[in-house]
Amino acid sequence: MTEQSAVIHETAIVHPDARIGKGVEIGPWTLIGPEVEIGDDCWIGPHVVIKGPTRIGQRNRIFQFCSIGEDCQDKKYAGERTVLEIGDDNVIRESCTFHRGTSQDESLTRVGSRNLFMVNVHVAHDCRIGDDCIFANNATLAGHVHIGSHVIFGGHAAIHQFGRVGSHAFIAGCAALNKDVPPYVMAAGLYAKPFGVNSEGLRRRGYSAEGISAIKKAYKIIFRSGKTVAEVIPELEALNKLQPEVGIMIEFLKQNERGIIRA
């Protein structure tokens, strides 16, 4: 079903079962498959391929040569019904690739809202991405990766499958992540190591001086005390009673399975 207010170029191919919202623009030579839902006021550029089942929210901008909702590159995938979900107000620049999930996970790849994906970013099967993130050119997410909100990935940065990056973290360009990066932490290198707290990003988002100071103290407990993750959690919980900003670091560490990056 296509809303009458949608503007579809005469060379675009839109499957009759696709659901196209109000005010959507679809550019030339773009292909929209069955079981695709595109929310109101989205702009889809030329030469884009969107395969279903894929659900796209409102006001997203998807630029030329993107492949959205394609079958994943996992050799175990055998054509099972899996889904890609994209939130609202995302900007997806040229040649990005977003793959649907696999039945080995929850059959779902999910992208939040207000994210910027620069040229040639790859989001593999079963990834979870929060809100307000930036992924610079050629950033690469392997399968089953979980990314929090307000995360920045530099150009050519890559993360191993099943890896996690906590909210407000900053990943430098060309970093290679083979371990998890806790919230607020800056990471760089091959393989990546911690390089302090993303203080500037936190100030820009309105964090108080006291909150940032507590996060820095938590960072020192985690990375400079020489203690294990299990050993530092009680200290962080005591700090969290005074400064609740530390709470997301505790929850992240409690879910630790792969291990975190180390200096």
Side-chain angles (χ1 to χ4, degrees), residues 164 180 229-230 250-261:
R164 298 184 303 145
D180 293 349
V229 168
I250 297 170
E251 292 305 312
F252 188 94
L253 294 177
K254 285 182 176 180
Q255 298 171 14
N256 175 60
E257 294 182 0
R258 292 183 52 81
I260 62 172
I261 60 172

Side-chain angles (χ1 to χ4, degrees), residues 28-242:
W29 309 110
T30 282
L31 174 63
I32 310 294
E35 296 191 88
V36 171
E37 299 179 21
I38 300 177
D40 296 348
D41 300 312
C42 286
W43 179 86
I44 313 297
H47 299 279
V48 174
V49 176
I50 304 179
K51 182 176 179 179
T54 291
R55 296 188 288 269
I56 299 174
Q58 300 180 1
R59 298 176 303 278
N60 293 285
R61 293 174 57 81
I62 302 177
F63 284 71
Q64 55 267 30
F65 309 117
C66 287
S67 176
I68 306 296
E70 187 52 84
D71 295 354
C72 71
Q73 298 177 126
D74 190 324
K75 292 180 69 176
K76 297 186 296 297
Y77 179 73
E80 303 90 344
R81 178 185 170 82
T82 61
V83 178
L84 168 66
E85 292 182 354
I86 298 175
D88 303 325
D89 299 296
N90 295 287
V91 176
I92 304 172
R93 294 302 302 257
E94 300 88 332
S95 303
C96 289
T97 51
F98 289 21
H99 289 171
R100 302 190 326 278
T102 65
S103 59
Q104 285 75 36
D105 201 321
E106 297 180 13
S107 300
L108 174 66
T109 300
R110 177 181 288 133
V111 175
S113 298
R114 300 179 304 279
N115 299 293
L116 169 59
F117 299 88
M118 298 186 191
V119 173
N120 206 41
V121 171
H122 177 60
V123 178
H125 59 88
D126 303 293
C127 284
R128 301 286 194 278
I129 297 174
D131 303 325
D132 301 292
C133 297
I134 298 173
F135 298 87
N137 298 352
N138 299 293
T140 300
L141 310 184
H144 311 278
V145 163
H146 287 202
I147 306 293
S149 296
H150 299 282
V151 172
I152 296 177
F153 257 69
H156 297 272
I159 180 170
H160 193 278
Q161 62 180 356
F162 294 99
R164 298 184 303 145
V165 176
S167 295
H168 304 283
F170 182 96
I171 310 303
C174 298
L177 305 179
N178 65 339
K179 299 291 183 180
D180 293 349
V181 180
Y184 308 121
V185 171
M186 296 191 297
L190 176 62
Y191 288 109
K193 296 182 178 181
F195 284 87
V197 169
N198 183 18
S199 302
E200 184 58 34
L202 297 179
R203 280 191 287 269
R204 292 176 181 176
R205 295 174 201 130
Y207 275 66
S208 68
E210 294 79 9
I212 295 173
S213 177
I215 292 166
K216 288 181 176 179
K217 186 173 182 180
Y219 176 91
K220 292 179 180 178
I221 293 171
I222 296 168
F223 293 105
R224 296 182 183 174
S225 67
K227 298 179 180 180
T228 66
V229 168
E231 289 170 338
V232 302
I233 286 177
E235 294 186 48
L236 297 178
E237 289 176 332
L239 181 59
N240 187 53
K241 292 178 180 179
L242 302 175

Side-chain angles (χ1 to χ4, degrees), residues 1-9 20-26:
M1 180 182 72
T2 301
E3 290 286 346
Q4 292 183 351
S5 61
V7 178
I8 301 174
H9 193 274
I20 309 299
K22 298 177 182 178
V24 172
E25 296 185 37
I26 298 176

